[in-house]
Amino acid sequence: MRTIDDLDVRGRRVLVRSDLNVPLEDGKISDDGRIRASVPTIRQLAGRGARVIVCAHLGRPKGEIKPELSLRPVAARLGELLGADVAFAGDVVGESAASTAKSLGDGDVALLENLRFEPGETSKDDAERGVFADRLAGLAELYVGDGFGAVHRKHASVYDLPQRLPHAAGGLVAAEVEVLRRLTSEPRRPYVVVLGGAKVSDKLGVIANLLTKVDRLVIGGGMAYTFLKAQGHEVGRSLLQEDQLDQVRGFIEQAGKRGVELVLPVDVVAATDFAPDAQHEVVDATAIPADRQGLDIGPRSRELFAARLADTETVFWNGPMGVFEFAAFAEGTRAVAEALISSSAFTVVGGGDSAAAVRSLGLPEDGFSHISTGGGASLEYLEGKTLPGLSVLED
């Protein structure tokens, strides 16, 4: 896979596919982590005299122009982080994009409007995506893929565009791939994976694949209740995927046969409602009252999880242990994060809600070996899938 060091960029228009899909609240960016992660590649290209045209998506406008999903606030924040003005094109491949690209001088940076305002970006029709990719390619001379959070999507700017221009991987993508290779190719042991989040179904493939590779699998979050139910325990009104019980029983059996230690919560914080101020109590994980729902792992589970992370050499964590957005149910997620920060292991936070939780809880990002910018992409890589946006950069 070529990197930007292999490209002669001075005086040339370089289209950089970044991941700037940040959360907005009332038109303001509430978490700029992905923008900050994208800055080094953009800064390096500009510093080498490239005329940088950044493209990215925001939300799911489904091919329609939705002003509330404009990237204009992102352009302003990107400029602040770069310490330089970032020109903003009011469209993706129209007159504004063309004139903005043409006006750039060496070292200048511009950002196109939301890629997903164009139906061709996400179309399942190869021809429609190809037409849109042709128009994007007309704006530049070189392509850099640096949006790791989108590389598992067969979208025009991720998959079709690099087939039309000389291309290379940006620094962010190169770093993400290197980390994931360390997790999948002879990781230092004990190798432990911590999985949380809402649904088992979101992680079926990665669990199946990891059971052949890890020494220990720690399960928390909403998905833990399907595991507990599969063992025959009462889970009350906790999140439960009845249709996954047989699959989960199979995982439990396979873990036993392979000698993979499966660590589940031993107590949970059970609440009367899904609300930040809901009444709650700590109960045994095997006896959740019928009228309550588990919204976090309990104090004994936090100690157990921390203990099972203390002797590790490699840890991958994806998914919160509870509803961390509510202060009363954030301590399980905090406990896991702090255990990783205290560890001397190679620790990887698998993007998505886990990365958001680290920032939301005010924990030091440099306390982890790596925080991924792509939750879904990381999981699909660990599942063993071919990621379109990576395969095309390897050509």
Side-chain angles (χ1 to χ4, degrees):
M1 185 183 292
R2 291 185 296 275
T3 69
I4 55 177
D5 293 334
D6 300 315
L7 296 178
D8 179 11
V9 300
R10 180 166 298 279
R12 306 179 79 184
R13 292 190 305 279
V14 181
L15 193 58
V16 181
R17 188 10 168 136
S18 298
D19 180 7
L20 306 177
N21 188 27
V22 295
L24 294 177
E25 295 178 6
D26 299 324
K28 296 182 179 179
I29 298 165
S30 58
D31 182 349
D32 67 356
R34 283 177 169 164
I35 305 176
R36 288 187 284 112
S38 300
V39 163
T41 292
I42 297 168
R43 178 177 283 135
Q44 182 181 346
L45 289 168
R48 289 169 54 194
R51 303 177 180 192
V52 183
I53 305 164
V54 182
C55 63
H57 74 276
L58 180 62
R60 296 180 178 178
K62 298 181 179 180
E64 298 179 11
I65 296 175
K66 295 188 176 180
E68 68 273 19
L69 292 178
S70 172
L71 281 170
R72 189 175 293 277
V74 174
R77 181 58 181 148
L78 180 59
E80 291 172 357
L81 292 168
L82 287 170
D85 290 337
V86 172
F88 182 69
D91 54 33
V92 186
V93 288
E95 291 182 6
S96 180
S99 62
T100 300
K102 187 177 293 186
S103 69
L104 293 177
D106 295 359
D108 288 344
V109 179
L111 175 63
L112 304 180
E113 185 53 284
N114 191 339
L115 285 165
R116 291 187 182 174
F117 284 177
E118 293 283 343
E121 168 66 0
T122 58
S123 175
K124 290 183 170 24
D125 181 83
D126 292 349
E128 185 178 7
R129 284 200 324 275
V131 169
F132 178 57
D134 286 338
R135 296 183 70 188
L136 278 172
L139 298 173
E141 301 158 85
L142 301 170
Y143 173 88
V144 170
D146 206 41
F148 181 74
V151 294
H152 58 314
R153 307 294 188 191
K154 194 175 181 181
H155 290 170
S157 65
V158 176
Y159 179 74
D160 303 272
L161 181 55
Q163 298 180 56
R164 289 158 166 78
L165 292 171
H167 53 264
L172 174 60
V173 161
E176 294 272 16
V177 170
E178 176 59 28
V179 165
L180 289 169
R181 284 178 176 161
R182 286 186 65 175
L183 293 177
T184 54
S185 177
E186 298 184 2
R188 291 167 55 193
R189 298 184 180 279
Y191 176 21
V192 180
V193 170
V194 183
L195 295 178
K199 296 180 179 179
V200 175
S201 56
D202 292 341
K203 299 182 171 74
L204 289 176
V206 74
I207 293 173
N209 199 37
L210 288 172
L211 282 174
T212 67
K213 304 180 185 303
V214 303
D215 301 297
R216 190 177 300 148
L217 188 59
V218 179
I219 303 289
M223 61 188 294
Y225 303 106
T226 302
F227 275 81
L228 290 168
K229 184 70 171 181
Q231 292 182 326
H233 303 305
E234 172 61 57
V235 297
R237 294 191 294 113
S238 304
L239 187 63
L240 174 65
Q241 289 189 282
E242 295 265 9
D243 61 335
Q244 302 299 329
L245 287 172
D246 286 343
Q247 181 81 61
V248 169
R249 291 187 187 102
F251 287 151
I252 294 171
E253 182 180 354
Q254 186 180 357
K257 288 180 177 179
R258 291 185 174 275
V260 175
E261 181 185 359
L262 182 62
V263 184
L264 294 173
V266 293
D267 62 347
V268 304
V269 182
T272 54
D273 298 288
F274 186 88
D277 57 353
Q279 293 181 5
H280 55 274
E281 62 179 335
V282 176
V283 301
D284 284 348
T286 58
I288 301 172
D291 63 344
R292 300 221 172 202
Q293 54 187 303
L295 297 186
D296 194 12
I297 59 173
R300 287 191 293 123
S301 298
R302 294 169 211 156
E303 292 180 6
L304 171 65
F305 285 17
R308 305 314 289 145
L309 292 170
D311 65 343
T312 56
E313 291 291 337
T314 305
V315 183
F316 174 76
W317 169 37
N318 180 277
M321 298 295 100
V323 187
F324 73 90
E325 297 89 345
F326 300 160
F329 310 111
E331 292 311 303
T333 302
R334 184 188 300 277
V336 166
E338 290 180 343
L340 297 188
I341 291 170
S342 299
S343 171
S344 60
F346 179 65
T347 54
V348 179
V349 180
D353 285 343
S354 308
V358 167
R359 292 188 281 268
S360 174
L361 296 174
L363 299 168
E365 295 184 47
D366 60 2
F368 306 90
S369 304
H370 181 74
I371 297 181
S372 177
T373 57
S378 295
L379 287 175
E380 290 198 15
Y381 190 102
L382 293 180
E383 190 177 335
K385 287 185 175 180
T386 297
L387 307 187
L390 294 184
S391 64
V392 75
L393 291 177
E394 292 168 351
D395 293 343

